[in-house]
Amino acid sequence: MSAAERGGAAPSPTLKPLSAALAPAVLAFELANRDYFAAAVSDRGDEYFARFTDRYDALLAEQATGACAFYLLVTATGTVLGRFNLYDLADGTAELGYRVAEHASGRGVATAAVRELSGLAASRHALHTLRAATAHENTASQRVLLKAGFVRTGPAGPADLGGRSGSWYQLDLLTIPSAAGG
């Protein structure tokens, strides 16, 4: 019997740093949602899946340098609901990228995780600014960013978005009490 069936709320998914132990769950997440993601962002291609272990190990190594911080939104049962990443951490700024499973979209999961990651960006990674780019046709991602406090700052070109055009958004973490306080 689940927690919901017993009358209690199911445990909320949690953001966890990328780890070797979660590699199989990440691969399952990417495979299950490949077509869904390809509708909004450039497809990773067959080579990504053929060399998944090598690419995943490279992400872990990159995370160990402190240049990036990769997080997974994971349920109590170990299912990955989303990936939330901070790229190119430098001079107090980073770029944010994320993707959420199709079955979890539209329920505020991404917005809540972006808000939580914004707090971690300030408290754990000493960042003061986050930037994110989203394609014009990706209205769901635009809504997530706006609800999480980002503001549109200008155009993003095809080089920023894998061949698509869109907009850049920015969040000043120093003006958000929950992010600044951790």
Side-chain angles (χ1 to χ4, degrees):
M1 180 180 286
S2 72
E5 291 169 328
R6 288 190 305 271
S12 296
T14 57
L15 276 178
K16 295 183 178 185
L18 192 71
S19 69
L22 291 168
V26 173
L27 179 57
F29 164 81
E30 291 289 349
L31 286 168
N33 293 283
R34 183 176 182 182
D35 292 339
Y36 174 66
F37 294 147
V41 294
S42 298
D43 183 55
R44 293 188 186 275
D46 293 337
E47 180 70 12
Y48 172 85
F49 296 99
R51 300 193 59 220
F52 178 82
T53 300
D54 293 337
R55 291 179 185 271
Y56 195 86
D57 289 345
L59 290 177
L60 290 172
E62 186 176 15
Q63 180 171 264
T65 70
C68 297
F70 305 115
Y71 289 88
L72 303 171
L73 186 63
V74 183
T75 67
T77 61
T79 301
V80 173
L81 292 181
R83 295 178 73 172
F84 296 82
N85 303 313
L86 300 173
Y87 296 96
D88 301 330
L89 281 72
D91 301 321
T93 301
E95 290 185 22
L96 167 70
Y98 56 90
R99 52 181 53 205
V100 173
E102 182 175 18
H103 74 273
S105 66
R107 296 198 254 159
V109 170
T111 302
V114 167
R115 286 178 178 152
E116 182 178 349
L117 185 57
S118 296
L120 291 172
S123 65
R124 187 177 291 172
H125 302 288
L127 298 174
H128 55 74
T129 304
L130 293 180
R131 291 173 23 98
T134 184
H136 290 306
E137 61 271 13
N138 193 346
T139 57
S141 190
Q142 294 165 29
R143 281 192 306 272
V144 166
L145 292 171
L146 292 171
K147 286 180 181 180
F150 283 73
V151 294
R152 185 178 180 278
T153 58
D160 301 314
L161 291 164
R164 300 174 188 217
S165 294
S167 297
W168 279 103
Y169 293 79
Q170 185 167 305
L171 178 64
D172 179 358
L173 297 171
L174 300 177
T175 63
I176 301 173
S178 62

